[in-house]
Amino acid sequence: MNASETSADPAQRAAQLRTLIEEANYRYHVLDDAAIPDVEYDRLMRELEALEATHPELARLDSPTRRVGARPAEGFAEVRHAQRMLSLANAFSEAEVGEFVQRIVERTGNAEPRFSVEPKFDGLAISLRYENGVFVQGATRGDGETGEDVSANLRTIRAIPLRLRGADWPAVLEVRGEVYMPRAGFDAYNAKARAEGGKVLANPRNGAAGSLRQLDPAITATRPLAFYAYAPGDMVESELPATHSAFMTRLRDWGFPVSHLVETARGLDGCLDYFRRIGAQRDTLPFDIDGVVYKLDDLALQRELGFVGRTPRWAIAHKFPAQEQTTRVLAIDINIGRTGAATPIARLEAVQVAGVVVTNATLHNADQIERLDVRVGDSVIVRRAGDVIPEVMRVMHELRPADTVKWQMPTHCPICRSELVREEKQVVWRCSGELICPAQQKESIIHFASRRAMDIDGLGSRLIEDLCDLGFVSSIADLYRLSVADFVEMKRRADERDGTTPETVKAGKVASKWAENLVEAIEHSKRATLERFLFALGIEHVGESTAKVLAQWFGTLERIRHMPWPLLKLLPDIGGEVARSIDQFFAQSGNQQALDDLLVRGVVLSDEHDVSAKLKSRLGVDEFLVQLEIPKLTPRRAEQLAATGNLPDALAGLPSQQLVSAGLPADTVAAWLAWHADAANATLYQRSVRAWNELSELAQSVAGSATALPLEGKTVVLTGTLSSMSRDQAGAKLEALGAKVAGSVSKKTDFVVAGEAAGSKLDKAQALAVEIWDEAKLLDYLAGQGA
Ligand code: D41
């Protein structure tokens, strides 16, 4: 049926709309295939609502418009489950799963029984009851015997069908499954709650449980909930198929969401293989799972095996190691980062979390400690998910010993004893020691050498810590002084300190080879691009993209290192905070000294160039004035000042009558004069004017000479493996020379750079007679361009 084939008869049209809406729900939640856009879905819904409003006789309980109903008058009613809701036994190791499978093998005589293997969704177990294909009641698990009637809330979940599809369902059907909150919905919900100052959800499982417990279904309807079915409940035995997996297929046909991760597996090996595969995907799944479930697939055998207490003998949950654990806070220390940021760290009694021993967890910042009220001696819940740093989630206040004291941010840096300071409206406290602080020195060197920065092979954080601790380096420039002998000596002293005694002769040889490689890697890093180098300096707020903008627009380190912040702000995506941070970095004489040292020791920026031709359009007098952030000087007033025809150097000295006759209101004139009367502002203005004059001249000459880059307008394709650099590196070099690097070869391709084992792209280039460069030719060309 087509949405546009409308029927004039209201009853028919209502039926048509319900079918369309239900179909859309089914395609989305069961088939993972959004059939119609959201706006269309909403339109159909509104039409049906209007129709039911004007024709009340058409309204029905199973209509999709009824998903949000009235709240129950007095809490939730109790529901006695027609079939007890069972619980699952847990296995925490492969050995326990082995025992489970072995018992089944012995009792059934089947050497390799078949299992339905499923993710264990981390939500809330519920039971749904359908009579004659219509949803009539839904309940929580409760104690397994009786649960709560949360029908009104369950109706709001679009993944739960209100009417079943097809016709071969039993007259009474109960289905069990899990209501859960997808991670994306959880994140979005919390982001909104945070922005609006509302209450955030602790985790998706609590989110799902809390949402179903809302008395008002209108609230539940706003929560992003979903559902997966996983077992039959009350139904006539003769209507069941022979296997659990066949039942799951039926559920899907009837319109229930069944996870595509559900499979069948044979024997212990099949189960464990599934466990490992799902475990590897765990962090990337769109919802939380806490393990997998194995269920004997043959339903007749399930009945034969029966239960022990409330748990079936034929099913078991194989749990992943817990991501949360409780432990005790032994101390709260302060870690000083590269930019001086002071991060409180909880030192913990060692505890295994998700298979890793955790002894430290981040507390983020002083405000977070205040919120959680963490104290030394407290029992806390730590969480470690994926590769992220473990964090303290919650304090178990009920277990707090009597003698704890409230934690306070220390006043001084634990490393260099400089004062810790916090800027207005900032959460982060910082060490004011900057370059004299050994912690900041260390972190800035680690950043400088890291892969995305100067990429010094082999110079990792452990080694840098040793170099700093043993006094071999204290700044990035010191790295370029290190000799092979220094590294060997440093290693000897580190071994001595750690009590590790290397076998003399052989170790000596290995050590000197290792030291040679390091010195070579450091030497190699001396040739860098401006962009990487700027990023490597570790200026606060200057990430890779800001570094790229600076390099592209200003072209040389010499220009950037003296640029006042108002001119930095002229560039795209550089705001006041970033610009000031860059200016402040270069204002420190220690940093300027470090730059000079680096240059003296042979660091060469291979791609320095003229200012960008685009700069000219940003250097209007009014735009310049606006960047200075002078009170009352709005863009309009700046335009009026610029219209006087004076250049910035003359503007500062303009007498007030002239400002008034330029049309500026008195308060703007007063603010302008007062601003200039401040010595610091006057200096900033002069510095900025000088930079503006220089840049204007440079931009003029670039625009005038119109020296295009050598590869301007050329399209290049890279293929195969290069031996001297990665394809990305080669691409970046070609781009710096003006080329456009494309992904596929066409007639428009100017040349193809083909490395080792080039495949179809090379074939295509040959077929189209496109020019082909080998690696040697590329290197030759780049050398010729000084790149
Ligand atoms: O994903 C789950 N959380 C899940 C829970 C699942 N995939 N299968 C389950 N199967 C059962 C039996 C075998 C007893 C029908 C379950 C649960 N039970 C369950 N969830 C909470 C209590 C029991």
Side-chain angles (χ1 to χ4, degrees):
M1 183 168 33
N2 187 309
S4 56
E5 285 169 24
T6 58
S7 168
D9 173 33
Q12 269 181 24
R13 178 59 180 161
Q16 210 172 43
L17 287 166
R18 284 183 195 128
T19 311
L20 285 167
I21 292 167
E22 281 161 11
E23 182 73 16
N25 278 338
Y26 169 74
R27 303 264 310 248
Y28 186 85
H29 292 285
V30 181
L31 304 182
D32 282 337
D33 158 33
I36 58 171
D38 287 355
V39 283
E40 176 64 7
Y41 182 94
D42 293 343
R43 202 192 58 69
L44 295 174
M45 202 66 164
R46 277 196 306 276
E47 188 187 338
L48 181 58
E49 278 164 1
L51 209 54
E52 289 177 352
T54 46
H55 302 273
E57 72 282 4
L58 296 177
R60 294 165 26 160
L61 195 58
D62 64 352
S63 171
T65 56
R66 292 303 169 92
R67 283 198 178 264
V68 183
R71 64 153 78 201
E74 306 162 22
F76 302 116
E78 276 196 354
V79 178
R80 237 193 127 67
H81 294 297
Q83 278 279 340
R84 211 167 51 166
M85 282 182 84
L86 303 170
S87 53
L88 277 172
N90 288 322
F92 293 97
S93 67
E94 300 198 345
E96 285 175 276
V97 177
E99 288 164 23
F100 162 77
V101 173
Q102 189 53 36
R103 277 196 302 273
I104 290 177
V105 169
E106 282 163 14
R107 282 178 182 255
T108 63
N110 182 343
E112 232 188 14
R114 201 158 79 126
F115 292 94
S116 172
V117 290
E118 313 171 1
K120 187 167 185 301
F121 310 106
D122 204 1
L124 196 75
I126 54 144
S127 185
L128 303 173
R129 188 173 176 90
Y130 292 80
E131 290 176 7
N132 300 315
V134 177
F135 174 69
V136 293
Q137 192 174 57
T140 59
R141 180 167 173 278
D143 62 3
E145 306 276 345
T146 32
E148 286 180 317
D149 182 344
V150 286
S151 306
N153 289 340
L154 292 170
R155 273 178 196 287
T156 67
I157 302 173
R158 287 191 191 163
I160 294 179
L162 298 177
R163 283 156 71 75
L164 300 183
R165 300 174 63 84
D168 59 342
W169 21 261
V172 172
L173 170 68
E174 262 187 34
V175 171
R176 267 101 201 239
E178 200 88 355
V179 167
Y180 66 96
M181 187 176 277
R183 282 182 190 155
F186 169 80
D187 290 341
Y189 181 89
N190 271 358
K192 190 155 173 276
R194 254 182 230 114
E196 293 168 358
K199 213 169 142 48
V200 296
L201 305 170
N203 56 45
R205 174 164 41 84
N206 289 3
S211 300
L212 275 193
R213 239 180 272 118
Q214 293 295 324
L215 276 175
D216 185 355
I219 296 180
T220 311
T222 66
R223 305 290 171 85
L225 299 178
F227 173 77
Y228 275 129
Y230 55 62
D234 184 32
M235 70 186 277
V236 185
E237 200 181 295
S238 61
E239 306 229 36
L240 280 167
T243 63
H244 179 79
S245 49
F247 179 71
M248 297 288 260
T249 307
R250 273 194 206 174
L251 285 180
R252 191 177 283 149
D253 293 341
W254 292 336
F256 291 99
V258 172
S259 168
H260 292 282
L261 298 171
V262 174
E263 298 177 13
T264 57
R266 282 204 160 272
L268 177 63
D269 290 346
C271 289
L272 296 183
D273 172 62
Y274 181 74
F275 179 78
R276 288 181 206 120
R277 279 189 288 123
I278 296 293
Q281 293 177 52
R282 183 184 188 186
D283 290 338
T284 57
L285 292 177
F287 42 78
D288 280 1
I289 59 174
D290 58 348
V292 300
V293 184
Y294 310 127
K295 298 174 184 169
L296 189 61
D297 200 31
D298 187 319
L299 295 184
L301 288 179
Q302 282 189 4
R303 280 188 287 272
E304 211 171 285
L305 285 167
F307 319 94
V308 223
R310 290 176 180 186
T311 52
R313 285 203 185 87
W314 43 266
I316 200 163
H318 188 181
K319 301 283 280 274
F320 294 132
Q323 291 184 308
E324 289 185 0
Q325 280 297 347
T326 58
T327 184
R328 235 163 44 85
V329 178
L330 302 176
I332 297 174
D333 289 347
I334 296 295
N335 180 63
I336 302 293
R338 162 168 63 84
T339 58
T343 308
I345 308 282
R347 306 284 174 213
L348 306 168
E349 215 160 68
V351 64
Q352 282 257 355
V353 189
V356 169
V357 178
V358 170
T359 52
N360 300 312
T362 179
L363 287 160
H364 298 292
N365 53 54
D367 289 4
Q368 172 80 354
I369 299 186
E370 182 80 20
R371 252 195 308 275
L372 297 172
D373 184 20
V374 185
R375 302 179 183 190
V376 174
D378 270 338
S379 293
V380 292
I381 293 173
V382 286
R383 182 183 170 81
R384 179 185 160 267
D387 289 333
V388 302
I389 305 166
E391 58 177 336
V392 173
M393 302 293 292
R394 192 158 71 73
V395 175
M396 295 159 80
H397 290 284
E398 61 281 11
L399 298 182
R400 173 171 287 169
D403 56 352
T404 62
V405 283
K406 200 164 160 52
W407 184 82
Q408 276 192 327
M409 190 74 189
T411 53
H412 290 83
C413 172
I415 309 294
C416 73
R417 296 279 133 215
S418 303
E419 211 182 327
L420 291 181
V421 292
R422 147 140 101 172
E423 268 167 51
E424 225 180 306
K425 293 198 217 127
Q426 297 272 307
V427 275
V428 179
W429 287 82
R430 276 175 209 290
C431 163
S432 56
E434 303 193 337
L435 287 176
I436 65 139
C437 178
Q440 294 185 56
Q441 289 168 0
K442 224 183 250 182
E443 296 299 331
S444 67
I445 299 171
I446 291 171
H447 171 77
F448 184 81
S450 68
R451 199 176 52 80
R452 308 193 72 106
M454 299 299 269
D455 193 17
I456 306 180
D457 220 21
L459 198 61
S461 57
R462 288 283 286 279
L463 181 52
I464 292 171
E465 282 185 24
D466 282 345
L467 285 167
C468 291
D469 291 345
L470 296 167
F472 283 82
V473 295
S474 62
S475 77
I476 49 181
D478 289 344
L479 292 176
Y480 294 94
R481 276 195 305 97
L482 291 171
S483 64
V484 171
D486 287 331
F487 277 111
V488 172
E489 171 65 7
M490 194 283 300
K491 178 93 171 72
R492 194 191 60 73
R493 283 207 245 154
D495 283 340
E496 199 175 273
R497 176 197 61 189
D498 304 336
T500 40
T501 35
E503 297 165 49
T504 45
V505 180
K506 185 161 158 261
K509 268 200 189 142
V510 174
S512 63
K513 182 66 200 154
W514 163 83
E516 276 164 27
N517 288 343
L518 280 166
V519 170
E520 195 178 314
I522 293 171
E523 185 63 30
H524 184 77
S525 75
K526 281 184 180 172
R527 262 186 99 74
T529 61
L530 176 57
E531 172 185 332
R532 251 180 197 268
F533 182 78
L534 286 170
F535 172 64
L537 292 176
I539 304 167
E540 193 178 13
H541 300 309
V542 178
E544 286 163 291
S545 72
T546 303
K548 188 177 196 138
V549 168
L550 288 168
Q552 279 178 346
W553 287 74
F554 290 141
T556 66
L557 176 63
E558 200 49 37
R559 288 179 204 128
I560 296 163
R561 69 191 284 194
H562 299 297
M563 200 61 73
W565 61 261
L567 287 121
L568 292 165
K569 273 174 63 198
L570 284 170
L571 304 196
D573 299 324
I574 296 187
E577 194 181 358
V578 179
R580 281 184 176 80
S581 163
I582 298 167
D583 191 334
Q584 264 165 33
F585 178 89
F586 290 116
Q588 284 183 46
S589 58
N591 287 332
Q592 291 286 356
Q593 185 61 52
L595 288 183
D596 287 336
D597 290 350
L598 286 167
L599 298 175
V600 165
R601 294 193 179 135
V603 169
V604 176
L605 303 172
S606 54
D607 61 344
E608 289 194 321
H609 53 78
D610 282 334
V611 297
S612 163
K614 294 177 287 187
L615 194 58
K616 190 159 177 261
S617 66
R618 297 200 173 220
L619 289 169
V621 174
D622 53 335
E623 275 157 322
F624 166 77
L625 293 171
V626 166
Q627 304 309 330
L628 290 158
E629 300 175 13
I630 299 169
K632 308 244 183 254
L633 200 74
T634 59
R636 196 167 144 236
R637 303 295 173 220
E639 262 175 48
Q640 287 174 315
L641 272 174
T644 62
N646 288 289
L647 288 179
D649 13 12
L651 276 172
L654 226 52
S656 59
Q657 304 125 269
Q658 282 199 38
L659 296 168
V660 173
S661 56
L664 288 161
D667 62 341
T668 310
V669 172
W672 168 263
L673 294 174
W675 188 85
H676 282 279
D678 180 297
N681 290 336
T683 312
L684 175 69
Y685 192 84
Q686 280 163 16
R687 251 184 93 209
S688 299
V689 167
R690 258 199 310 277
W692 183 84
N693 285 339
E694 254 167 59
L695 285 178
S696 299
E697 208 168 295
L698 287 167
Q700 191 64 47
S701 72
V702 169
S705 69
T707 45
L709 290 165
L711 294 177
E712 197 76 59
K714 301 271 187 211
T715 302
V716 184
V717 173
L718 295 151
T719 181
T721 311
L722 302 174
S723 62
S724 56
M725 61 186 113
S726 72
R727 273 213 302 273
D728 282 350
Q729 287 168 329
K733 285 179 197 253
L734 293 167
E735 268 176 359
L737 295 170
K740 178 168 171 271
V741 177
S744 61
V745 178
S746 74
K747 274 187 296 192
K748 295 205 187 97
T749 310
D750 290 286
F751 63 91
V752 169
V753 176
E756 274 303 302
S760 62
K761 288 181 193 175
L762 178 59
D763 297 342
K764 184 146 185 213
Q766 279 161 342
L768 294 172
V770 170
E771 186 176 339
I772 294 161
W773 290 18
D774 60 11
E775 183 165 357
K777 171 142 189 198
L778 174 71
L779 292 177
D780 235 34
Y781 178 79
L782 292 176
Q785 296 296 330

